[in-house]
Structure formats: C-alpha cells, structure tokens
Amino acid sequence: RAKADGRNRHHFYSRALHGEIQRQQQLRHDLRAALDAGQFWLAYQPKVNPASGELLGAEALLRWNGPDGPVSPAMFIPVAEETGLIVPLGRWVLREACAQARRWSDDGHALPVSVNISAAQFGETGFLETVQEELRASGLSAHLLELEVTETILMRHVEHVQRNLAALRALGVQVSIDDFGTGYSSLSYLHEFPVTTLKIDRSFLAPGRSGPQATALITAIIGLGRALNLQVIAEGVEQPAQVRALLDLGCAAMQGYLFAPPLPPAAFEAWRRDWPAQHAALTAQA
Ligand code: C2E
Ligand code: MG
Ligand code: MG
Ligand code: MG
C-alpha cells in the first residue's frame, strides 16, 4: 500500500516536472523567436544632477513588444533568466546600448550608458570577453559604459566576482550596485568589491515609506557611500520634495519619473534638448 502510494506520488511528480520542462521550453522558444523577430528594443532613462542641471548618463531598459502588446520586464526577465535565454538576450542589450552610446558620442553629445546585468550573465565564463568584444565592435570608449549589477550577484561567488569586477574596472568600465539595500550583501565585504556607485533602491523613496525611518535608511546608505568613496544615486524620484530631501542629505545624482520616464531613443533626444528649460523650471519651483 505504502509502496503503491510512493509510486503514484513519483508518477505525479515526474508528470508535473515534465509539464514544467515543457512550459519552460515553450517560453524559451517564444523569447528566442521574439529576439529573432526584432521585437525587443531599448528605452533610455536619464540620470541627472538636479542641483547643477548636469546630465550624468542614461540607463538602458529592455522593452518587449509582444504579439499581444508590450510585456513588462518584470514578467519576461525572470523567464529569460530561468531558461538561460538571458545570455543571448543580455548580449543583444549590451550590443544595442553600446551602439547607441557610440552614436551619441559621434554626434558630439557623449553620455555614459548603463546596462543591467543578470546573475546568470555575470556568472558565465566568457562574460568579460563578451563585454570586451562589444566595446571593440561598437568602438565605444569603455568609460562610457556602466554595468548595473545586484547584491545577489556580488555575494554568490565572491572570488570570481572580485576578479571579474577588477578586470572590468581595469578596462575603464564603471560598475554600480543596483537596488542597493534590498539584497543581503554583507557590509564587511562591500569594500572588497571594486564598484564605483551605489544605487539606492526606489522602494526607500516610495510614498508609503517616507518618514523618519526611510530617511534614516537613506542617510545610512549615503554615509556608507561616502565612507567607501563611492558615488551614490537615488532611483525612483517622483516628487520635488524628494529632490530637496536628497540634496539636503548630500545625494545629488537622481533618476526618476519627475525628470523623465524611460524613453524611446528619439523621444530621449527630444527630452535632452528640452532638459535645460525643464531644469530651470524645477529650480524656480524649489
Ligand atoms: P531596475 O534596473 O532597478 O530599473 C528601474 C525600474 O524602475 C525600471 O522599471 C524603471 O522604468 C522604473 N522606474 C524609473 N523611474 C521610476 C519612478 O520614478 N517611479 C517608479 N515607480 N518606477 C520608476 P522597468 O523598466 O520595468 O524594469 C524593471 C527591472 O527589470 C529593472 O529594474 C531591471 O532589474 C530589469 N531589467 C530591465 N531591463 C533589463 C535588461 O536589459 N537586462 C536585465 N538583466 N534586466 C533588466
Ligand atoms: Mg537598473
Ligand atoms: Mg534599480
Ligand atoms: Mg529595481
């Protein structure tokens, strides 16, 4: 009786597993087809210093126009990670972003571009070579490329990561820790990673979290950045009051809907031409 139960359970699990494998293969197939069909594109969101008006860079954010309309990266990035398709897809992002930054540079408006990197990509043997090849192919100067990695990546294979980061920094590539404060990076390790920037996660700026506690956390991250000689940028800035608070705390680099949402390349160019006027208006308000 127990034996039969065990066998049934086994059948059940293997059938469920088989279904799961099929589902993964289907999703991987759909994403691969979308990549081949040219359904992906990159949006660019500016990073600014609202005190000086300086444009600091642009983050490339992946977009998918699926057959039934746009699909959020929050939906398809995890699938791409699970299925391994993030490696070719991430390489496409790197290539496209480098090509865009090279065009800006050629047009006389050089601007650093930031590219999000998944753990599966960063962990690939050959990731360093991929970055080097895409820099070479695009002719982009390495200091105009920034990679955004997460705390999860850093903590996974510490020695491998340290070597990779050191090699990237030696090339001149900038590296920031994205969504900082939401992962579980060990502060005692942080100074051993040759990164350039901490990016404060937007959840710390969410309206529901404003108040003394959120301010204390943001203050702590800014202090940590200063102690470790790292740049600090805040993401998810939506309100003028947040700008004032961040400037008071000593964080002048910001990104968020208040300045611009992620924009298609042509709209980004238009925003860029308009930004000096927008900055003047923001400054007059403050
Ligand atoms: P992330 O890198 O932390 O990007 C910031 C997210 O916040 C973006 O969402 C952006 O559109 C959104 N955002 C920007 N300003 C504001 C604001 O003021 N308020 C609010 N509420 N949100 C704001 P998006 O584009 O949906 O991307 C979500 C995540 O997907 C990204 O988080 C990143 O982790 C991942 N992702 C996007 N593109 C890529 C990519 O090319 N490769 C990889 N590996 N991951 C990517
Ligand atoms: Mg990012
Ligand atoms: Mg982020
Ligand atoms: Mg995020």
Side-chain angles (χ1 to χ4, degrees):
R1 161 100 226 179
K3 237 185 193 160
D5 267 4
R7 206 158 36 231
N8 283 340
R9 226 180 348 255
H10 174 75
H11 277 299
F12 173 76
Y13 284 134
S14 65
R15 217 174 335 120
L17 189 62
H18 185 65
E20 176 60 20
I21 289 167
Q22 273 190 330
R23 190 188 65 97
Q24 291 253 346
Q25 280 171 348
Q26 182 62 44
L27 286 169
R28 186 178 206 283
H29 176 263
D30 289 351
L31 285 173
R32 177 80 239 181
L35 184 56
D36 294 338
Q39 289 172 354
F40 289 102
W41 58 279
L42 296 183
Y44 295 89
Q45 188 179 33
K47 302 181 179 188
V48 300
N49 176 335
S52 67
E54 193 187 347
L55 180 55
L56 306 170
E59 177 175 5
L61 290 154
L62 188 55
R63 296 291 178 261
W64 179 18
N65 281 349
D68 307 316
V71 185
S72 157
M75 290 284 298
F76 69 78
I77 296 276
V79 175
E81 286 172 341
E82 281 167 41
T83 58
L85 199 83
I86 194 67
V87 173
L89 185 56
R91 182 168 191 147
W92 179 85
V93 172
L94 198 54
R95 177 170 308 163
E96 191 73 9
C98 287
Q100 178 62 76
R102 173 64 204 257
R103 285 193 292 274
W104 287 332
S105 180
D106 285 349
D107 293 345
H109 306 102
L111 189 67
V113 74
S114 307
V115 175
N116 293 285
I117 303 293
S118 286
Q121 257 180 297
F122 198 87
E124 270 262 305
T125 46
F127 175 69
L128 259 173
E129 287 72 20
T130 299
V131 174
Q132 274 174 300
E133 278 165 28
E134 294 307 334
L135 280 171
R136 198 177 320 124
S138 63
L140 182 70
S141 162
H143 75 270
L144 291 176
L145 177 64
E146 179 182 66
L147 303 182
E148 297 194 0
V149 303
T150 59
E151 292 168 82
T152 319
I153 292 184
L154 299 186
M155 292 304 144
R156 205 168 270 185
H157 303 291
V158 172
E159 275 163 39
H160 164 78
V161 165
Q162 278 171 333
R163 269 199 308 275
N164 255 4
L165 289 177
L168 287 167
R169 298 288 299 116
L171 290 176
V173 174
Q174 314 279 322
V175 182
S176 68
I177 307 183
D178 204 355
D179 304 333
F180 188 76
T182 60
Y184 38 86
S185 58
S186 154
L187 292 186
S188 59
Y189 268 136
L190 199 55
H191 74 279
E192 293 180 28
F193 294 111
V195 299
T196 35
T197 305
L198 300 180
K199 198 166 183 188
I200 304 174
D201 189 66
R202 68 180 143 93
S203 65
F204 293 110
L205 276 82
R209 281 188 74 173
S210 61
Q213 229 186 358
T215 306
L217 284 168
I218 295 171
T219 309
I221 296 175
I222 293 169
L224 187 64
R226 198 170 290 144
L228 296 175
N229 211 2
L230 300 173
Q231 297 169 53
V232 177
I233 181 165
E235 65 173 7
V237 175
E238 296 180 357
Q239 298 152 5
Q242 293 170 323
V243 174
R244 285 191 294 275
L246 286 162
L247 289 177
D248 284 347
L249 293 172
C251 175
M254 304 181 199
Q255 183 181 352
Y257 294 162
L258 178 66
F259 312 106
L263 296 165
F268 184 87
E269 304 299 332
W271 176 88
R272 189 175 190 165
R273 283 188 294 274
D274 190 49
W275 164 242
Q278 192 196 333
H279 172 247
L282 278 171
T283 308
Q285 258 175 50

